[in-house]
Amino acid sequence: MTMYEYSCLPVVFGLTLAPFFLGIINRTKAKVAGRQGQPLLQAYFDLWKLLHKGAVYSRTTTGIFILGPVVGLAAIVAVLGLTPFAGCPPLFSFIGDLILFAGLLGVMRFATMIAALDTGSSFEGMGASREAWFSSLAEPVLWLSFAVLARLTGQFSLGAIQSEIGSALWAASAPELALTALSLFAVFLAENARIPVDDPNTHLELTMIHEVMVLDHSGPDFAFIQYAAALKHWVLASLLAGVIAPVHTGHAWIDITAALLTMAGIAVATGLVESVMARLRLTRVPQLLVGAGALGVMAFIVDIMR
Amino acid sequence: MNEVADLMVVLMAMTNLILLGTARLTLGVRLVGAQGALAGAYMFAANAEHPTVHVLALSALIIVAKGLVFPKVLLRTLEKAEARHEMEPYVPYSASILLGMVMLASSVWVSSRLPIAGLTIPPSAVPISIWTMFTGLFLVVARRAALTQVFGYLVLENGIYVFGAAIAGEMPFLVEMGALLDVFVAVFVMGVAVFHISREFEHMDTDRLSVLRD
Amino acid sequence: MTLLVAALLCLIGGGILSLHPRLGARVAVPGCVIAAVLGVIPATQVLSGGGVLSLRAEWAVPGGSFYLHCDALSAFFLIPILVVSALGALYGAEYMRHSVNRAHWFFYSLLVAGMAGVVLAWNAIFFLVAWETMALASFFLVVTDDDQAPVREAGWVYLVATHFGTACLMILFALAGGGSGPLDFDPMIATGAGASTWTLGLVFLLAVVGFGTKAGIVPFHVWLPEAHPAAPSHVSAVMSGVMIKTGIYGIVRVLTSCGVPPLWWGWVLIGLGLLSGVGGVLFALAQQDLKRMLAYSSVENIGIILLGLGLGAVGWTFGEDRVCFLGFAGALFHILNHALFKSLLFLGAGAIAHATGTRNMDAFGGLFKRMRHTGGTFLAGSMAIAGLPPFNGFIGEFLLFLGGLIAVMSAQPALCGAGASVIAGLALISGLAVAGFTRAFGSAFLGEPRSECVEHAHDPGWRMLLPMWILVYFCLLIGTSVGPLAAYNSPAWSAAWPGKTPEIAFAVASCLSCVSLWAGAFVVLCLLLAGFRLLLLRGRSVRQAVTWDCGYAAPAARMQYTASSFAQPLTDMFRTVLHTKVSGGAIADVFPGLSQSSSVTADAVRAGFYQPLFSGVLRGVIAVRRLQHGNLHLYVLYIALTLLFLLFMELG
């Protein structure tokens, strides 16, 4: 059966399940630490609560501060429309859509950073500075992974790449795919401000990046930011899921179940990483990203040598 | 069994990468051990279609010696010397990884120029073994701690070993045994030396040994 | 062709008339605008209809002829040159209103005419004359404020650099021209394909060095960060936006005239592109002077353009048409885009400098509330130059990335390696560019004022704002509708690949249409969400308060992150390249008193290579100067000795 008719599925899944992904990460961390943990649906409750609040704005801020969350959320929703999931093609797909994917992620980052700088707070300036630092290093890593995947599959669009990756490709070029998956995971952790790059729990410490940039947002603006962050987790994790567990049985519902389980697995893995690792010292983070880039280069060279 | 041999080689490459980027000495010892074991396993996997007693014995010996004995010795030295981290290497870690990539690219180029293209099983073995040799030399040159230099020699030896195994299939037994014995003695001597250096001078950085020359 | 000649005459005539003290800008600015209108019409015709316009007249100079020639490539460069210059002139009319410099508009018009002449000339002598006109006119424009010592210094550096480039070009034409007769380009190109590999290689290297000096390729870029900040802003806009592109024009012209390039040409271009791109953006991050930072960013963008040309050349070598096409098309698109957004940013920087009296980014802050229009246009320019959709900068990068991806799939290791280098390099450059322009926009326009010079800043008059908004409009237009435009206007693609309009052009145009569509969807989504937000907040309490500073009770504007502190982690990470010198700032006591810290990042190539070189030359020259005493007796002695020496030579 053709899956084309399901092309709105990735968007629907993403929009509805993204906050749940965060719930699984938090539950994993709680279990490992021996706690009960917050409800799995806590992220939804938070969003609901924030959407019903008023807002407080700093006198320093301008329209940029208000536009930041709006543009960020719009960008990540547009990215979601380009992301394939579970063998279903994305909502919108064309040759070179992965370039637009990276570009729109850049827009989201830019919007968040200038909104942070708009407050004039030294904390948020610091967060923006670090975000700029790490994301500029994560960008080449993401691109190298894209390049390896494009080379392995011979395709130029995310949907086609994901449907080309299957057991046959894994049998033929396991090392490359494994290396790429590792470097994509590093990008996932860095871009989503997870440990070992950033600590999502440290709400008022000097070491943080993402949380500190959104200190001043409140009410619906903050809901937009939280939701956009959840969607970003979802989007990057579904890229990774497409590489590590490409189940293409032809039966849509089996594929979708497998993909959802993989996503849950990635969430658990993220939670485990956060439980067993400490945040890296700031100056060591570039090393992690350079290492992830090196994995991409190795994948390349291994493939050229065949 | 080509795929398995391939996997061994790729895993060796991964150990090189982490060795270039880590400051932790215990992790380094374990990685060097793992790399030695991988080299032995590669020997077996590459010849698995026609396993001979000679191959079996040699692989087993290598795995035991490089994968178990050497790390044990080095870990004990570490424990006694109470050293955990490499301090300030000559070349910082990110730069080391980038240089490692340059070395990898150049070893691919070198191996494409060697008159052995297409003969080896699997094709990635030669470039990655050359890269392993480069990495070993680099570690010797770019790190201060005496123990990291021992890593360098061991990695270098692993590279030479896999290179030989990839080209010749199986090496003359005596040559291999001789080489192994050399390394064995070297590890012991260096282990003892490192321990004594650290006890006498309360550090184990080789660059400061130069004050002894007078 | 008549229209093109009329445009050139308009420029020169306007320039000469502007020397009259009563006329000045009143004739020169309309001259530039009329020339733009007159010139753009035939150029668009050439681009959309194909074909070549040419006009040849004899010239008494040996080897020379007035040979004007407008093919698709020339037309492609001519349009931004004329349009950006006209907009710059409109802006400059207001900007220079209180200036007493009478020759300013003469040199400005001459600069525009020179640039147009460079891309239209089809004879070596004529080309060199146009090239020198351009160089000298821009030199006089750079030293407009010649009462300041740094400006004079910048002028000298520029003059030396540009003549070094011209010297290379003279050798190049001598090599390529070969035989006698007029040095027209037709015979050169005809013989070019058959010349020996060595000659061609030498020609290529001379072109890269000679034209590259003008384009600002690292390591020949040293004049750029000196001259651009020194010039008035509309001149910087024209120089950075279009004048340095004439260097790229030269490289493209040579590249497309020599037949299939050898592999190493492509690698040279990619290598220089990586060096310029990464080096340029890193030094841009380390600057505090806004215009100096923009100048380094031009070096970076020249690097991106070179990456595209290199990729195209490698693709050409291997006969991979798609890579070749996408590489060249991406490079050309980036040339056009950079002309638009870089001139926009320089005009914005000029407006800021005008309003605050300083160019130091660490002194700004909170300008957005005071300069709405400048802030809006600068934001658009920053997003465009950072390569973010839906602006035009993204389109060029899209083509380059796509070309890189196709190259990566190749079975040829060299092509694959070239593709991977371009992709990784471009990703790093664009990531760092996002950081750089977040920093520039954020530190200048957002937050609270860091010094009192910002307090009374206000937007300039509409005459200065209009050109900026027009440039923003072009940026958005290209960013959102280039796909459909390109699909209907396919012969324009032949600028990217002379002689061929391949099928792939249509495929790429359809990709670009998809990009436009989705970028449009993104904009609509932004509007919808903004509306949703307004709906949510209706009737709720929306309060104003101070910025939350984690409970600290007395936040002050001086505590904000400055531009320098924003970039510090990155500049620190790349300290081996940048050699930033920090002085002061160390805390000695338990109760530290007042202290200050400053940092400066000098150009590594200038400090590490050219200055030692030139001081070495100077030492050598001083030794020679001892011979020159001014003593007549000694001179007679020299003459006598020379004659004696010659005599003995002849006899012996």
Side-chain angles (χ1 to χ4, degrees):
Chain A
M1 77 196 272
T2 168
M3 295 224 179
Y4 195 74
E5 52 214 272
Y6 297 114
S7 68
C8 63
L9 270 186
V11 176
V12 174
F13 274 124
L15 289 179
T16 52
L17 292 179
F20 191 69
F21 187 87
L22 296 181
I24 300 180
I25 297 180
N26 281 329
R27 178 54 66 87
T28 313
K29 285 166 71 176
K31 286 291 169 208
V32 174
R35 289 182 283 119
Q36 178 92 41
Q38 44 181 240
L40 275 172
L41 300 181
Q42 185 62 45
Y44 296 94
F45 303 151
D46 287 348
L47 288 176
W48 189 252
K49 181 183 69 185
L50 287 170
L51 283 175
H52 284 82
K53 288 199 167 200
V56 183
Y57 295 105
S58 159
R59 284 186 200 97
T60 309
T61 57
T62 60
I64 303 268
F65 182 76
I66 295 168
L67 278 180
V70 170
V71 172
L73 182 57
I76 195 70
V77 172
V79 168
L80 185 67
L82 299 171
T83 314
F85 182 67
C88 308
L91 188 62
F92 190 65
S93 179
F94 58 93
I95 289 178
D97 57 4
L98 69 186
I99 304 166
L100 190 56
F101 179 99
L104 285 169
L105 280 182
V107 173
M108 182 185 176
R109 267 198 306 265
F110 182 74
T112 319
M113 286 192 287
I114 59 171
L117 288 173
D118 198 17
T119 61
S121 149
S122 41
F123 287 100
E124 303 194 29
M126 178 160 52
S129 160
R130 289 172 181 175
E131 170 84 0
W133 179 21
F134 294 149
S135 61
S136 61
L137 298 176
E139 184 98 352
V141 183
L142 178 68
W143 266 106
L144 277 171
S145 320
F146 276 165
V148 174
L149 290 179
R151 179 177 167 85
L152 289 176
T153 57
Q155 298 292 341
F156 303 101
S157 71
L158 290 169
I161 285 176
Q162 205 179 73
S163 56
E164 282 291 320
I165 300 175
S167 43
L169 193 67
W170 266 97
S173 31
E176 292 97 311
L177 282 174
L179 290 171
T180 314
L182 271 179
S183 72
L184 270 180
F185 190 57
V187 172
F188 167 80
L189 293 177
E191 285 277 337
N192 287 314
R194 312 290 324 183
I195 288 176
V197 174
D198 184 13
D199 190 345
N201 284 340
T202 54
H203 273 273
L204 278 182
E205 281 174 30
L206 297 183
T207 53
M208 53 195 182
I209 304 164
H210 177 79
E211 291 295 332
V212 81
M213 281 200 294
V214 299
L215 263 182
D216 244 65
H217 291 281
S218 55
D221 294 327
F222 194 50
F224 282 10
I225 287 176
Q226 295 287 61
Y227 190 47
L231 285 175
K232 196 171 177 185
H233 278 82
W234 179 269
V235 162
L236 289 169
S238 47
L239 276 193
L240 184 58
V243 176
I244 56 176
V247 181
H248 303 302
T249 54
H251 299 286
W253 295 106
I254 298 179
D255 291 3
I256 288 169
T257 317
L260 287 176
L261 286 176
T262 317
M263 295 292 276
I266 294 173
V268 170
T270 313
L272 288 178
V273 167
E274 301 221 331
S275 305
V276 300
M277 277 185 85
R279 203 185 52 74
L280 285 176
R281 209 171 66 210
L282 268 184
T283 46
R284 302 267 301 198
V285 172
Q287 207 174 315
L288 174 86
L289 291 170
V290 171
L295 291 180
V297 174
M298 265 172 58
F300 234 110
I301 289 180
V302 169
D303 196 62
I304 291 179
M305 286 181 313
R306 282 165 193 278
Chain B
M1 294 302 274
N2 240 342
E3 289 81 29
V4 179
D6 201 22
L7 190 66
M8 298 296 147
V9 171
V10 172
L11 286 177
M12 278 185 73
M14 295 281 293
T15 52
N16 282 344
L17 189 64
I18 307 174
L19 273 172
L20 285 170
T22 187
R24 278 191 238 164
L25 292 177
T26 39
L27 179 66
V29 172
R30 299 219 166 87
L31 281 171
V32 170
Q35 196 182 50
L38 283 170
Y42 166 79
M43 176 82 171
F44 178 72
N47 295 301
E49 279 159 27
H50 326 281
T52 56
V53 180
H54 167 193
V55 166
L56 267 177
L58 199 55
S59 309
L61 191 63
I62 297 273
I63 292 176
V64 169
K66 288 187 177 170
L68 296 174
V69 180
F70 290 2
K72 197 93 184 165
V73 174
L74 291 174
L75 278 177
R76 262 189 49 193
T77 318
L78 261 186
E79 224 166 73
K80 284 189 193 158
E82 289 174 359
R84 309 285 293 271
H85 284 270
E86 163 94 39
M87 309 306 288
E88 295 215 353
Y90 289 116
V91 184
Y93 296 104
S94 294
S96 300
I97 296 175
L98 283 179
L99 280 173
M101 289 301 102
V102 175
M103 291 190 283
L104 176 56
S106 44
S107 36
V108 171
W109 185 80
V110 166
S111 66
S112 71
R113 295 286 148 144
L114 289 178
I116 47 159
L119 293 177
T120 58
I121 310 165
S124 54
V126 171
I128 294 216
S129 60
I130 295 178
W131 185 39
T132 311
M133 294 184 227
F134 279 152
T135 308
L137 282 174
F138 179 81
L139 286 178
V140 173
V141 173
R143 299 284 184 267
R144 273 175 220 261
L147 201 72
T148 332
Q149 311 222 316
V150 182
F151 296 171
Y153 288 117
L154 286 173
V155 170
L156 181 61
E157 212 276 335
N158 287 338
I160 295 171
Y161 176 73
V162 172
F163 184 75
I167 289 182
E170 39 187 276
M171 268 190 217
F173 191 65
L174 265 179
V175 175
E176 180 53 39
M177 287 317 294
L180 198 60
L181 197 66
D182 280 352
V183 179
F184 205 65
V185 173
V187 167
F188 269 102
V189 170
M190 285 196 259
V192 173
V194 168
F195 173 59
H196 281 284
I197 293 169
S198 70
R199 206 179 51 187
E200 293 296 322
F201 301 99
E202 293 174 350
H203 65 75
M204 41 179 260
D205 286 3
T206 47
D207 62 332
R208 287 191 255 168
L209 287 181
S210 55
V211 299
L212 287 177
R213 73 186 157 202
D214 296 329
Chain C
M1 203 66 219
T2 334
L3 286 175
L4 278 182
V5 176
L8 284 180
L9 290 178
C10 224
L11 285 170
I12 297 169
I16 293 172
L17 284 179
S18 76
L19 282 173
H20 190 277
R22 299 275 301 282
L23 294 171
R26 257 176 275 167
V27 291
V29 176
C32 286
V33 175
I34 295 171
V37 174
L38 289 177
V40 164
I41 296 170
T44 344
Q45 279 168 355
V46 169
L47 265 185
S48 55
V52 170
L53 302 173
S54 65
L55 175 77
R56 190 171 189 281
E58 292 303 328
W59 192 12
V61 179
S65 64
F66 285 112
Y67 196 170
L68 290 170
H69 176 101
C70 182
D71 59 3
L73 189 64
S74 310
F76 187 85
F77 279 85
L78 190 62
I79 293 176
I81 286 175
L82 290 174
V83 171
V84 169
S85 305
L87 292 174
L90 280 176
Y91 176 99
E94 179 81 4
Y95 191 81
M96 295 297 288
R97 197 154 55 153
H98 304 296
S99 164
V100 288
N101 191 328
R102 205 178 289 161
H104 177 83
W105 290 106
F106 171 68
F107 288 123
Y108 188 87
S109 308
L110 219 54
L111 168 65
V112 184
M115 290 189 294
V118 163
V119 296
L120 290 174
W122 206 245
N123 172 285
I125 305 292
F126 185 33
F127 180 91
L128 284 174
V129 169
W131 185 261
E132 273 303 286
T133 312
M134 177 177 88
L136 290 177
S138 53
F139 164 74
F140 285 111
L141 290 170
V142 166
V143 294
T144 301
D145 299 318
D146 55 4
D147 48 337
Q148 299 163 18
V151 170
R152 289 196 299 273
E153 161 87 15
W156 277 119
V157 173
Y158 176 47
L159 201 64
V160 172
T162 189
H163 282 98
F164 170 69
T166 310
C168 291
L169 295 186
M170 285 178 175
I171 306 174
L172 187 158
F173 287 126
L175 259 180
S180 56
L183 289 165
D184 290 354
F185 285 173
D186 302 311
M188 285 192 200
I189 293 172
T191 54
S196 76
T197 336
W198 284 102
T199 322
L200 281 182
L202 198 57
V203 163
F204 170 72
L205 283 181
L206 282 169
V208 167
V209 177
F211 288 120
T213 309
K214 181 62 75 182
I217 298 175
V218 175
F220 314 111
H221 68 286
V222 279
W223 65 271
L224 222 143
E226 307 298 327
H228 288 199
S233 287
H234 59 293
V235 176
S236 321
V238 170
M239 283 175 72
S240 204
V242 288
M243 192 191 80
I244 59 173
K245 305 300 170 11
T246 55
I248 296 291
Y249 166 80
I251 294 178
V252 176
R253 196 51 102 186
V254 170
L255 200 61
T256 49
S257 307
C258 293
V260 178
L263 183 57
W264 66 269
W265 290 22
W267 276 112
V268 165
L269 290 174
I270 290 179
L272 287 174
L274 287 174
L275 198 64
S276 310
V278 179
V281 73
L282 283 179
F283 276 95
L285 272 166
Q287 301 305 319
Q288 281 108 33
D289 181 328
L290 182 57
K291 284 177 77 177
R292 216 176 145 82
M293 179 258 173
L294 290 175
Y296 270 114
S297 144
S298 293
V299 175
E300 167 223 331
N301 281 282
I302 289 293
I304 296 180
I305 293 166
L306 284 183
L307 282 180
L309 293 180
L311 186 68
V314 175
W316 194 357
T317 309
F318 284 106
E320 178 57 85
D321 287 354
R322 295 176 301 167
V323 176
C324 175
F325 177 78
L326 282 168
F328 285 138
L332 287 180
F333 249 110
H334 203 78
I335 289 165
L336 175 64
N337 293 333
H338 183 245
L340 297 173
F341 50 62
K342 184 47 68 63
S343 45
L344 167 61
L345 288 168
F346 262 117
L347 297 184
I352 300 174
H354 209 61
T356 60
T358 173
R359 301 194 305 252
N360 182 1
M361 280 196 271
D362 289 343
F364 299 146
L367 279 172
F368 197 64
K369 283 186 172 164
R370 295 164 178 81
M371 305 173 77
R372 290 270 166 201
H373 289 280
T374 314
T377 51
F378 201 92
L379 176 63
S382 301
M383 286 186 75
I385 200 167
L388 298 174
F391 288 93
N392 58 347
F394 178 71
I395 301 294
E397 291 188 7
F398 180 89
L399 296 176
L400 292 180
F401 272 127
L402 197 59
L405 284 175
I406 297 177
V408 153
M409 288 178 194
S410 159
Q412 297 281 354
L415 188 53
C416 186
S421 324
V422 168
I423 286 181
L426 197 55
L428 182 64
I429 294 168
S430 67
L432 290 171
V434 172
F437 281 90
T438 310
R439 165 181 182 262
F441 178 75
S443 65
F445 287 97
L446 304 176
E448 292 286 344
R450 292 184 184 83
S451 66
E452 56 275 15
C453 65
V454 176
E455 296 294 341
H456 302 293
H458 55 83
D459 264 328
W462 68 270
R463 283 189 199 82
M464 277 163 77
L465 288 175
L466 184 69
M468 286 150 72
W469 279 113
I470 292 176
L471 286 168
V472 171
Y473 170 73
F474 283 139
C475 285
L476 258 181
L477 182 75
I478 293 182
T480 52
S481 47
V482 70
L485 282 179
Y488 287 118
N489 206 8
S490 51
W493 292 98
S494 64
W497 201 354
K500 292 192 194 179
T501 43
E503 285 303 304
I504 180 184
F506 299 99
V508 171
S510 79
C511 289
L512 289 177
S513 306
C514 290
V515 172
S516 309
L517 185 67
W518 204 242
F522 160 64
V523 174
V524 172
L525 208 56
C526 284
L527 295 176
L528 283 179
L529 282 172
F532 180 55
R533 179 187 157 278
L534 282 181
L535 201 70
L536 282 175
L537 283 177
R538 208 171 51 182
R540 302 222 188 113
S541 88
V542 175
R543 288 186 298 120
Q544 298 264 310
V546 291
T547 295
W548 169 243
D549 242 351
C550 302
Y552 186 67
R558 297 273 314 258
M559 289 164 55
Q560 293 172 96
Y561 248 48
T562 59
S564 303
S565 38
F566 187 89
Q568 189 270 335
L570 271 165
T571 47
D572 191 49
M573 186 176 161
F574 290 98
R575 60 186 173 278
T576 36
V577 185
L578 294 170
H579 294 295
T580 302
K581 287 197 178 62
V582 181
S583 56
I587 294 173
D589 298 325
V590 182
F591 299 104
L594 285 176
S595 75
Q596 59 178 8
S597 157
S598 65
S599 68
V600 63
T601 308
D603 193 282
V605 178
R606 191 169 179 219
F609 179 68
Y610 288 106
Q611 271 171 356
L613 178 74
F614 282 121
S615 55
V617 169
L618 197 63
R619 273 199 299 278
V621 171
I622 286 172
V624 175
R625 202 161 61 186
R626 296 221 183 89
L627 298 175
Q628 188 103 346
H629 270 283
N631 190 336
L632 191 65
H633 305 276
L634 267 178
Y635 291 143
V636 176
L637 180 66
Y638 292 155
I639 294 170
L641 282 177
T642 314
L643 287 174
L644 275 175
F645 175 73
L646 287 173
L647 182 69
F648 285 126
M649 281 275 289
E650 197 60 28
L651 294 177

